[in-house]
Amino acid sequence: MPHYRSIVILTGAGLSAESGLSTFRDANGIWAKYDWRDVATPQGFEKNPALVHEFYNMRRRAHAGVKPNAAHLALGRLSREHEATTIVTQNVDCLHEAAGTARLIHMHGEAMKSLCAHCNARGPWIGDMSVATVCSACGKAGGMRPDVVWFGEMPYHMETIGKLLLACDLFISIGTSGHVYPAAGFVAAAADAGAHTVELNLEPSQGASLFAEAIYGPATEVVPAYVERLLAGEA
Ligand code: OAD
C-alpha cells in the first residue's frame, strides 16, 4: 500500500495521446489547427456557434471510438485500491470512466454531456449538436452547448479541488503542459500544503521546476511503472 495518506492526481491531454486523441500544444496539436479564441471561448460561441458545434462534433466523434490506455487503467486501479486517491482531469473525454476510476473530477467538463444556456439542464450527449438542437428539458432551441469549460469561464468543482490540495500529501501531475490556470497552479498549492510533488510527462512541462520529482517518458510506460511502485510502498 502507498505510504501516502491522501493523493491528488491532475491529468491532461498527454494521458490520452496514446489512446489516439490529439493534445493541444504539441506540433500537430489541436491549437495548431484551430484558434482557441474561435472555438473555446464564450465570445467565439456567440460569434459563430455553428463553427464551435462543428469543432465539438468532430472531437465527440473522435472520443467515441477510443479506449483507455495502460496509463488510464493503472490510475483506475490505484483509485480503486487506495481509497483516498482523487483524479482531477482537464480532459473532456471519458477514458478515466472507461478505466473504472473511483473518484474523478472533470474540472473542464465533459464533451459527452450537454448544457442548455436557457435552463441550465445538463445531460448525456452522444451525437452531433447544432444551433437547431432543442433542449429536452425546456423545449427551446439555440441554447444547447457542450458541457465543457471555455477560456474565460470558471472551471468546475474548484472549492472541492482546493480542499483536496490542502489535505493531500502526494500530488502527481500527468500529461499536462502546465500552460493553463488554475490547473497549472495546483502544484504550488499542494507543495505549500506540504505534499510531495511528482511530474510524469513526455518532457519537462512549463512548471517542471516546481516539482520535487519528475519522470519523463510516454504515459503508457511511466504511469503503470510509477503506480506499481506506489502500491508496493516503494515510491
Ligand atoms: P497540452 O497539449 O497543453 O499538453 C500536453 C502535454 O502532454 C505536453 O506537455 C506533452 O509533452 C505531453 N505529452 C504528449 N504526449 C504524451 C504521452 N504520450 N505521454 C505523456 N505525456 C505526453 O494539454 P493540457 O496541458 O491538457 O482546455 O492542456 C490544458 C488545457 O488547455 C486543456 O484542458 C484545454 C486546453 O486548451 C480548454 O480547452 C479550456
Side-chain angles (χ1 to χ4, degrees):
M1 266 295 116
H3 50 75
Y4 294 101
R5 201 176 14 83
S6 175
I7 304 173
V8 175
I9 303 173
L10 173 69
T11 66
L15 185 73
S16 298
E18 290 164 89
S19 287
L21 295 179
S22 299
T23 59
F24 293 95
R25 293 174 184 78
D26 293 303
N28 289 321
I30 292 173
W31 297 152
K33 298 176 189 124
Y34 291 86
D35 188 325
W36 59 269
R37 295 169 202 83
D38 293 335
V39 295
T41 62
Q43 295 78 8
F45 188 55
E46 207 170 301
K47 205 168 101 192
N48 191 348
L51 175 73
V52 177
H53 281 306
E54 195 185 297
F55 176 70
Y56 283 97
N57 289 342
M58 171 207 62
R59 291 187 62 197
R60 216 178 282 112
R61 283 185 219 130
H63 290 183
V66 297
K67 291 198 164 53
N69 62 45
H72 296 102
L73 294 172
L75 295 177
R77 176 183 167 215
L78 174 63
S79 77
R80 293 189 302 274
E81 293 188 15
H82 185 265
E83 218 172 86
T85 298
T86 306
I87 295 179
V88 179
T89 189
Q90 299 168 89
N91 298 342
V92 298
D93 62 48
C94 6
L95 293 176
H96 280 302
E97 288 89 334
T101 303
R103 280 156 304 281
L104 175 66
I105 296 177
H106 270 286
M107 67 177 289
H108 287 173
E110 292 166 72
M112 308 295 249
K113 286 205 174 144
S114 63
L115 169 63
C116 175
H118 296 309
C119 72
N120 282 327
R122 290 185 159 88
W125 197 267
I126 295 167
D128 285 358
M129 201 183 272
S130 77
V131 285
T133 302
V134 173
C135 171
S136 60
C138 70
K140 288 187 194 156
M144 293 291 274
R145 58 171 277 186
D147 188 14
V148 299
V149 175
W150 287 325
F151 289 101
E153 296 181 322
M154 180 60 87
Y156 295 156
H157 311 296
M158 283 309 295
E159 206 180 313
T160 306
I161 297 169
K163 284 184 189 150
L164 286 165
L165 290 170
L166 271 180
C168 75
D169 54 357
L170 176 63
F171 173 77
I172 311 170
S173 173
I174 306 174
T176 176
S177 63
H179 277 91
V180 176
Y181 284 84
F186 291 175
V187 56
D192 282 352
H196 180 55
T197 56
V198 185
E199 164 159 283
L200 305 179
N201 207 43
L202 197 57
E203 59 196 8
S205 71
Q206 170 107 326
S209 63
L210 301 171
F211 290 86
E213 186 185 348
I215 302 168
Y216 297 117
T220 55
E221 289 175 22
V222 296
V223 175
Y226 186 83
V227 166
E228 204 64 57
R229 281 173 48 220
L230 197 57
L231 284 171
E234 290 162 7

